Structure formats: structure tokens, C-alpha cells
Amino acid sequence: MKTAIFPGSFDPFTLGHESIVRKALPLFDRIIIAIGANTKKNSTFELEKRTQWIKATFNDNSAIEVLPFKGLTVDFCQAQNAQFILRGLRNPNDYQYESAIAQMNQALNEEITSVFLICDPAFAAISSSIVREIYLNGGDVAQFLPKAMKLDA
Ligand code: ADP
């Protein structure tokens, strides 16, 4: 069984994240969306809410699971029998950041392979941090989020 972990803060999950998962579906038997407690970030949205929103987005698909995780991504992969880490790339900055992480993860566990998908140009400008900024200042962020997500529900 080919299993990929899609790790992230998903604070909140956006159309960009949804698109990466949907593009990856034909490549893997199982995709685990792993919501991390990133040490450097205090989250704006509660873990429970972030989990609910992602589950609602993919409730039609049994190949997708949503789980919280702490600690090293490679350790979580091993615990879940996942051979792949899925990440999305929007631009050269993402590439630079992601390639360093992938190489460090490779050094930590050479059996786990990072797989990158280039994002759809329509979503290249969408970032969770800007969505948070707009939301916290009272702007309407619905256009950046999957349809099933209602932030104020
Ligand atoms: P992290 O806090 O680990 O960076 P994020 O939730 O910000 O987690 O992002 C998770 C993954 O989704 C990363 O690989 C990131 O590059 C990717 N990603 C973020 N926004 C988009 C987008 N608009 N389109 C495609 N991929 C994206």
C-alpha cells in the first residue's frame, strides 16, 4: 500500500492545500493529512476546528485520513507505515525551503521519499498566513477556502 503523509499547519487549510491533495490522489493508495503542532507557530485556529474542516472537505473520499501529529515527520511516517511525504510548491522560495527540509528528512530516514507537486497557478498566491491576516482583520476569506469550510460555523 502506497501511503503519503501530507504534513502542515493548515492554519487554516486552503484551496491550495485541497488542490495538492486532489492532484496526489491518483499517485497513492492512502493520503494522511497530518496536522502538526509546529513549534515555531502558535495557531490561530484550534486543532479540532482545523481537523473538522479538512474532514468536511474530503468526506467523500475513503483514501484520505486526517490526523494530528507532534514530533518528527519521519517518525510519524514510520508509525503510519508511510513511505512518502507530500508537499506543495508555489514558488522558488517554497522550493528553497522545502528542498532543505527534504534533504534533512532524507538524512534522518533514507527510506522515506519526499514528493513535490507544483501548485495550480490559480492558487499560487494563497497562503495560510495571509488568509489569517485577512480573517483577523475582518475580511472575507471564503474565496480562498474549500467550499465545505465555514470559518464562523
Ligand atoms: P507548514 O507550516 O509546514 O509550512 P502549511 O500548512 O503552510 O504548512 O503548508 C503545507 C504544505 O502545503 C507545504 O508544502 C506548502 O508549501 C503547501 N502549500 C501551502 N499553500 C499552498 C498553495 N496555495 N498551493 C499549493 N501548496 C501550498
Side-chain angles (χ1 to χ4, degrees):
M1 166 115 80
K2 276 187 286 179
T3 301
I5 302 284
F6 183 41
S9 318
F10 307 123
D11 188 30
F13 198 78
T14 67
L15 282 177
H17 296 130
E18 179 187 9
S19 156
I20 293 293
V21 173
R22 295 204 189 275
K23 276 185 206 291
L25 273 171
L27 304 175
F28 304 104
D29 302 303
R30 187 165 71 121
I31 297 176
I32 300 172
I33 302 173
I35 310 179
N38 188 324
T39 43
K40 275 190 287 184
K41 294 183 190 170
N42 288 321
S43 69
T44 296
F45 299 103
E46 302 215 341
L47 180 63
E48 202 171 312
K49 276 282 176 194
R50 286 182 277 158
T51 307
Q52 269 175 22
W53 288 326
I54 301 173
K55 283 188 174 163
T57 301
F58 297 111
N59 69 355
D60 52 336
N61 200 316
S62 59
I64 295 173
E65 284 170 48
V66 187
L67 294 174
F69 90 106
K70 280 200 180 114
L72 292 177
T73 310
V74 289
D75 290 346
F76 188 71
C77 287
Q78 212 155 24
Q80 296 294 329
N81 289 320
Q83 310 90 328
F84 302 98
I85 297 172
L86 171 66
R87 298 284 283 180
L89 296 177
R90 286 165 292 187
N91 52 46
N93 284 345
D94 273 359
Y95 170 75
Q96 211 160 15
Y97 176 70
E98 295 290 343
S99 61
I101 296 180
Q103 284 165 354
M104 305 280 273
N105 280 334
Q106 163 108 352
L108 291 171
N109 187 333
E110 63 182 13
E111 286 173 7
I112 295 166
T113 302
S114 294
V115 175
F116 299 96
L117 294 183
I118 302 289
C119 98
D120 188 318
F123 305 134
I126 301 179
S127 77
S128 295
S129 59
I130 301 175
V131 169
R132 282 199 300 278
E133 203 62 33
I134 296 171
Y135 173 79
L136 292 172
N137 287 291
D140 179 10
V141 294
Q143 63 184 304
F144 309 118
L145 306 178
K147 281 201 176 56
M149 278 178 63
K150 300 272 178 285
L151 288 194
D152 296 315

